[in-house]
Amino acid sequence: MPLAQTATTVPVVVNDDLCIADKGCTVCVDVCPLDVLRIAEKADGSKTAYMKYDECWYCMPCEADCPTGAVTVNLPYLLK
Amino acid sequence: MDEIQDGLTQIDCDILVIGGGTAGPMAALKAKRKNPNANVVLLDKANVKRSGAISMGMDGLNNSVIPGYATPEQYTKEITIANDGICDQAAVYRYAQECYGIIQELDEFGIRFQKDQNGEYDVKKVHHIGTYVLPMPNGDTVKKALYRQLRKARIQIVNRYMATRLLTGEGRIAGAICVNTRTAEFLVVRAKAVIMGLGAAGRLGLPTSGYLYGTYENASNSGEGYAMAYHAGAGLANLECYQINPLIKDYNGPACAYVAGPMGGYTANAKGERFIECDYWSGQMMQEFFDELQGGKGPVYLKLNHLAEETISEIERVLHIVERPTRGHFHAGRGTDYRKQMIEMHISEIGFCSGHSASGVFVDEHARTTIPGLYAAGDMANVPHNYMLGAFTNGAFAGLDAADFIADVDFATFDEGEVVAEQARVLAPTKRDDGIPPNQIEYKTRRLVNDYLQPPKVTAKMELAQQRFEEVREDMEQGMYVRDAHELMRSLEASSILDCADMAAAASLYRTESRWGLYHNRVEYERDDENWFCHTILTKGDDGKPAHSKKAVQPYVVEIADDEKDAYYNQRVDATVAAE
Ligand SMILES: Cc1cc2nc3c(=O)[nH]c(=O)nc-3n(C[C@H](O)[C@H](O)[C@H](O)COP(=O)(O)OP(=O)(O)OC[C@H]3O[C@@H](n4cnc5c(N)ncnc54)[C@H](O)[C@@H]3O)c2cc1C
Ligand code: SF4
Ligand code: SF4
């Protein structure tokens, strides 16, 4: 499939200074009902959660259950 | 994670519960308590800890029948009238009799319900006739409390498996085929009984925002319950009685007139005038809403700005914490302050959901479907106006009956060829090198639903929809392409959504009358009690397309007087009163 590069703003933002995915945390990935969050490896080899698929129901378990307050759920721009 | 892997595992259990949202967990608990030796598996596409409509909590019970406030007879009558008489009362009446016991159990789980100074339940009036709404001050804890009970009862939980088809054999249920949403591996579950609690068809219509997941219903409920029941040969009732709701414009969350109403809020037109007496959702109320919009008096709003500061702060406290906690962010972003502005509402995308209307997989008062050993409860079963307490209570009925059913049966044998065929269907989009991504199949289906199926319903438009759906189906079957297991889940959802769209069109064309206010407003036809005072049952025909039949409404348990029958059509405020 020819891949296009269409820019989109994703609603869920993870503050990687606060995220403790490096210590094995996957709470937000585990609870998301739409299964849109994943853990990525950063350039320096450390890990952080991020929004992989732009398919959010803005329901907020990820933000509510994150132990360090690293997740912020914004409304998708299209329905803000 | 997400790479597509080969694999198939088979497990056996006595009772398989599909869907760990609201009805499912209660069904599993009740079955396990009734028969502690039974092996009960609770399977969900998401993670049961935070899955389903009640993931972050609920404001209250919308349809509770509490001694001293309402009787089962009154409630049964009200729901029958709200559904234009098309209602098998036995299921509603049993719910009305037993839901109070479920409330007491939920209370024991640690979920609190609002009480007045005398320690009595503080039930509010929202419906047209009776008083049934009970606020839940710590409603945000409901899912957590339920999850604790599941752990305590040692229910086996299987997360991130999506059920795609049911298995049948020997004229009864045999199990289900499931796919892992992160690896695409198959799980075949053999079961003596299967309980479905897969929720509403939440992604049938398209929200006007253009965002696929900007829906009112939990977006992981994509209609598999209906599609699976259909392909297994079960009957589905009154699918033409769509759900269509008055929601906050763009946000597509509930405006929660049920919370605001008893505190003095109401639905108003652009002039701030009240035009309906009752904010309880029904097809008749939606028709008034629609007429106001079409009549040039819209937009329609939820009006709170006449209320006192303490009242508004209390409404904000309730509405911005539980249910859809992003609501506060939404209003803040738009600069909407309840003290100053009214909240713009609109008519949302359509869907199937008995939680708020009446259509769904046909069940009786034991939550039994038309297939022995197969049960359905919650938003996907056809008991009208279920809401959350209906999901819990009917889920309980399903669990109790299934516990008895499994006592006398062994596993039904099924055709292994069905599993092979399902593997081929599921994996087809992974075998191509190029093609149409599932989100485009989904978007197109849902856009067509909006364009052609939304009421007021027009025959020619619905027939056009059917043609276009066939083209989309051809594209889906021949050309859909996915790159990983996550996209594969979305492709399976796209297929369920298309099945539901087909059923919605076929059912709406079959009933050649108007019924249920806006829900089935067929502009070419009047209401016709002589020919259509009946349920319509949709099944999968021999040609693989929807087939239809009529089913008589069961004799009433609670009689309705002639002058009461149309009470829900008398909702319009006569001389529109100016806001104070
Ligand atoms: C925003 C909102 C507000 C509401 N407010 C109220 C209220 O204040 N009071 C009230 O009484 N009612 C309210 N309701 C209605 C009430 O919440 C629902 O009627 C009820 O929770 C439905 O329960 P359910 O078990 O049918 O569906 P759900 O609780 O949604 O559960 C369905 C489950 O099935 C799973 N699932 C879906 N597809 C599959 C598949 N293929 N395989 C495996 N699992 C699958 C889902 O992940 C989910 O966990 C509200 C609903 C919504 C959406
Ligand atoms: S829950 Fe919070 S800390 Fe844990 S992985 Fe997610 S963002 Fe990181
Ligand atoms: S808001 Fe809900 S859907 Fe969106 S990422 Fe968080 S948990 Fe997932």
Side-chain angles (χ1 to χ4, degrees):
Chain A
M1 170 160 63
L3 294 176
Q5 297 205 345
T6 311
T8 183
T9 55
V10 296
V12 175
V13 184
V14 177
N15 179 341
D16 52 13
D17 291 336
L18 293 178
C19 176
I20 51 166
D22 245 355
K23 300 206 174 92
C25 181
T26 57
V27 168
C28 57
V29 180
D30 294 342
V31 294
C32 172
L34 275 296
D35 206 15
V36 298
L37 305 177
R38 291 292 182 264
I39 307 291
E41 204 159 297
K42 292 188 285 187
D44 63 2
S46 64
K47 289 178 184 163
T48 183
Y50 77 110
M51 186 169 204
K52 182 172 177 189
Y53 304 96
D54 181 18
E55 302 162 338
C56 182
W57 193 47
Y58 40 98
C59 50
M60 274 167 83
C62 54
E63 181 176 314
D65 294 351
C66 171
T68 65
V71 184
T72 307
V73 177
N74 300 302
L75 287 158
Y77 178 70
L78 287 175
L79 36 92
K80 231 162 158 170
Chain B
M1 200 145 56
D2 303 322
E3 293 92 56
I4 291 168
Q5 290 166 32
D6 256 348
L8 186 147
T9 313
Q10 182 169 312
I11 61 168
D12 290 348
C13 64
D14 293 308
I15 301 176
L16 169 66
V17 183
I18 307 173
T22 313
M26 188 57 96
L29 275 175
K30 286 286 175 180
K32 186 77 184 171
R33 286 200 192 143
K34 188 164 182 186
N35 181 350
N37 296 322
N39 178 4
V40 180
V41 170
L42 178 61
L43 176 137
D44 202 289
K45 185 197 242 179
N47 184 321
V48 173
K49 209 185 248 178
R50 284 292 196 188
S51 67
I54 61 170
S55 166
M56 292 294 282
M58 278 291 142
D59 294 335
L61 302 174
N62 290 344
N63 280 28
S64 54
V65 185
I66 296 182
Y69 293 92
T71 63
E73 287 74 18
Q74 269 172 342
Y75 178 78
T76 305
K77 201 184 246 192
E78 175 130 17
I79 296 303
T80 308
I81 296 170
N83 284 287
D84 280 359
I86 312 268
C87 172
D88 282 354
Q89 287 187 339
V92 177
Y93 190 63
R94 181 173 179 207
Y95 160 78
Q97 284 177 309
E98 297 189 33
C99 70
Y100 185 58
I102 298 286
I103 295 176
Q104 286 166 316
E105 258 178 89
L106 294 172
D107 208 320
E108 282 161 27
F109 293 175
I111 301 157
R112 279 191 294 122
F113 300 98
Q114 196 158 302
K115 299 206 171 126
D116 61 18
Q117 294 102 317
N118 305 323
E120 304 287 339
Y121 286 123
D122 188 10
V123 195
K124 310 281 187 192
K125 180 171 185 307
V126 173
H127 295 58
H128 201 37
I129 307 168
T131 301
Y132 313 103
V133 174
L134 179 58
M136 288 163 44
N138 69 345
D140 53 318
T141 60
V142 59
K143 191 76 204 235
K144 278 191 196 136
L146 200 57
Y147 192 71
R148 268 199 307 274
Q149 297 299 320
L150 292 170
R151 300 305 298 250
K152 221 163 100 186
R154 297 179 185 282
I155 307 284
Q156 194 189 332
I157 295 174
V158 178
N159 290 321
R160 303 287 173 199
Y161 272 93
M162 170 183 187
T164 66
R165 284 292 183 265
L166 295 168
L167 290 164
T168 53
E170 304 172 29
R172 59 188 167 97
I173 197 72
I177 306 175
C178 315
V179 180
N180 188 296
T181 60
R182 291 171 173 176
T183 66
E185 288 165 294
F186 285 79
L187 180 71
V188 174
V189 186
R190 282 210 304 169
K192 296 173 188 165
V194 173
I195 300 172
M196 298 188 288
L198 294 86
R203 273 158 47 203
L204 185 55
L206 190 68
T208 40
S209 67
Y211 193 68
L212 281 176
Y213 303 84
T215 56
Y216 165 53
E217 295 295 347
N218 169 21
S220 68
N221 299 347
S222 43
E224 274 94 58
Y226 304 82
M228 285 167 46
Y230 172 72
H231 290 292
L236 295 102
N238 303 320
L239 292 180
E240 63 279 14
C241 179
Y242 295 164
Q243 153 166 278
I244 170 158
N245 295 322
L247 300 173
I248 299 170
K249 173 82 168 61
D250 298 340
Y251 178 67
N252 275 14
C256 286
Y258 296 6
V259 172
M263 295 168 121
Y266 55 83
T267 308
N269 61 21
K271 288 191 190 149
E273 296 165 341
R274 188 171 198 155
F275 63 96
I276 35 177
E277 283 171 4
C278 162
D279 288 321
Y280 182 67
W281 294 357
S282 63
Q284 301 88 333
M285 178 270 204
M286 281 302 301
Q287 185 66 51
E288 297 295 351
F289 197 116
F290 179 82
D291 291 346
E292 199 72 2
L293 288 174
Q294 294 297 308
K297 294 203 183 149
V300 167
Y301 296 89
L302 175 64
K303 181 168 162 51
L304 304 174
N305 57 6
H306 56 287
L307 299 176
E309 171 59 35
E310 312 86 81
T311 316
I312 295 189
S313 334
E314 176 59 12
I315 292 175
E316 280 175 338
R317 194 192 64 76
V318 178
L319 294 186
H320 297 181
I321 297 176
V322 293
E323 264 189 38
R324 299 299 308 280
T326 39
R327 175 173 177 166
H329 300 348
F330 175 77
H331 288 316
R334 290 262 166 117
T336 308
D337 179 345
Y338 297 166
R339 289 157 193 80
K340 302 198 180 84
Q341 290 91 11
M342 301 192 290
I343 303 150
E344 187 185 352
M345 291 167 67
H346 73 150
I347 292 179
S348 80
E349 76 272 21
I350 60 172
F352 296 147
C353 175
S354 68
H356 309 89
S357 67
S359 62
V361 173
F362 181 86
V363 294
D364 67 8
E365 65 272 27
H366 306 284
R368 296 173 187 155
T369 69
T370 54
I371 297 177
L374 179 65
Y375 298 81
D379 283 350
M380 63 166 290
N382 76 328
V383 182
H385 298 224
N386 254 301
Y387 289 91
M388 175 173 53
L389 189 57
F392 281 137
T393 308
N394 292 297
F397 296 163
L400 293 171
D401 203 75
D404 289 339
F405 182 85
I406 58 157
D408 311 320
V409 296
D410 202 350
F411 296 107
T413 45
F414 58 89
D415 176 5
E416 295 286 343
E418 282 185 41
V419 177
V420 177
E422 180 60 358
Q423 278 181 295
R425 179 188 80 94
V426 168
L427 294 175
T430 69
K431 307 289 183 202
R432 302 186 180 105
D433 300 326
D434 200 354
I436 310 161
N439 61 352
Q440 293 191 359
I441 298 281
E442 174 174 341
Y443 180 85
K444 193 157 175 176
T445 308
R446 293 172 60 190
R447 180 171 60 74
L448 293 169
V449 166
N450 278 25
D451 290 348
Y452 296 122
L453 298 187
Q454 198 141 272
K457 301 179 186 177
V458 178
T459 306
K461 282 170 75 177
M462 292 192 286
E463 287 170 352
L464 206 51
Q466 288 185 310
Q467 279 174 34
R468 303 302 312 277
F469 291 151
E470 261 183 59
E471 292 158 18
V472 176
R473 184 171 293 281
E474 175 77 13
D475 296 337
M476 181 183 79
E477 285 171 0
Q478 303 307 321
M480 187 159 56
Y481 167 66
V482 305
R483 298 170 297 179
D484 63 21
H486 181 86
E487 289 183 1
L488 186 66
M489 163 170 70
R490 296 289 177 243
S491 76
L492 292 163
E493 293 175 343
S495 156
S496 307
I497 293 166
L498 186 54
D499 283 343
C500 289
D502 271 336
M503 289 191 263
S508 296
L509 281 164
Y510 180 62
R511 188 185 281 276
T512 48
E513 66 151 358
S514 284
R515 177 79 55 177
W516 304 297
L518 186 65
Y519 294 162
H520 185 64
N521 177 347
R522 276 197 77 173
V523 286
E524 297 122 304
Y525 298 94
E526 300 276 304
R527 176 158 154 180
D528 174 4
D529 279 334
E530 201 178 313
N531 293 300
W532 291 104
F533 189 83
C534 61
H535 302 284
T536 63
I537 303 290
L538 183 148
T539 49
K540 189 176 181 179
D542 295 335
D543 60 354
K545 300 227 163 96
H548 309 273
S549 58
K550 294 183 181 181
K551 186 173 186 303
V553 174
Q554 293 305 299
Y556 285 166
V557 183
V558 181
E559 277 314 316
I560 316 259
D562 277 340
D563 61 347
E564 292 172 320
K565 281 183 180 150
D566 288 328
Y568 265 66
Y569 283 96
N570 303 322
Q571 305 210 11
R572 186 158 272 275
V573 174
D574 288 336
T576 324
V577 285
E580 59 266 38

